[in-house]
Amino acid sequence: VWFHEFMQGVASTGMGPAQATWEALRAWQLEMRLHLDLWEKRAIMRMSVSMASIQAEKIRRDTKAKK
C-alpha cells in the first residue's frame, strides 16, 4: 500500500516514467509521519526502478507497434 501511495506523488522529469528519489521518499515519510526501516526504504526504491523499467519497455513496444 505504501508503495502505490508514495508513487502517486513522485514527479516525472518528462524524459520517461517517474522514478523515486531518496529525497522524495524522505519527504513523503516525514509528511506521512511514518518511520520506515532501512530495508523498507530500499525495497521501495527497488520497486520504483522495476516499475519504471516495465513502463519504459511498454512505451518502447507501443511506439514500435505504431510504426
Side-chain angles (χ1 to χ4, degrees):
V1 174
W2 285 347
F3 177 70
H4 292 289
E5 184 178 293
F6 166 65
M7 289 303 293
Q8 289 175 353
V10 174
S12 174
T13 63
M15 299 300 291
Q19 196 168 343
T21 64
W22 288 103
E23 293 83 9
L25 181 56
R26 184 172 191 277
W28 174 78
Q29 182 180 338
L30 290 172
E31 183 67 26
M32 295 295 126
R33 296 186 177 118
L34 294 172
H35 171 77
L36 301 179
D37 290 332
L38 182 56
W39 73 266
E40 293 171 305
K41 295 174 193 177
R42 286 180 173 156
I44 288 172
M45 295 303 287
R46 288 183 185 125
M47 288 189 295
S48 172
V49 170
S50 294
M51 189 170 98
S53 295
I54 292 166
Q55 289 174 340
E57 180 60 30
K58 182 180 182 321
I59 291 168
R60 279 191 290 274
R61 276 189 276 127
D62 292 349
T63 302
K64 189 176 182 180
K66 290 180 183 179
K67 292 183 178 180

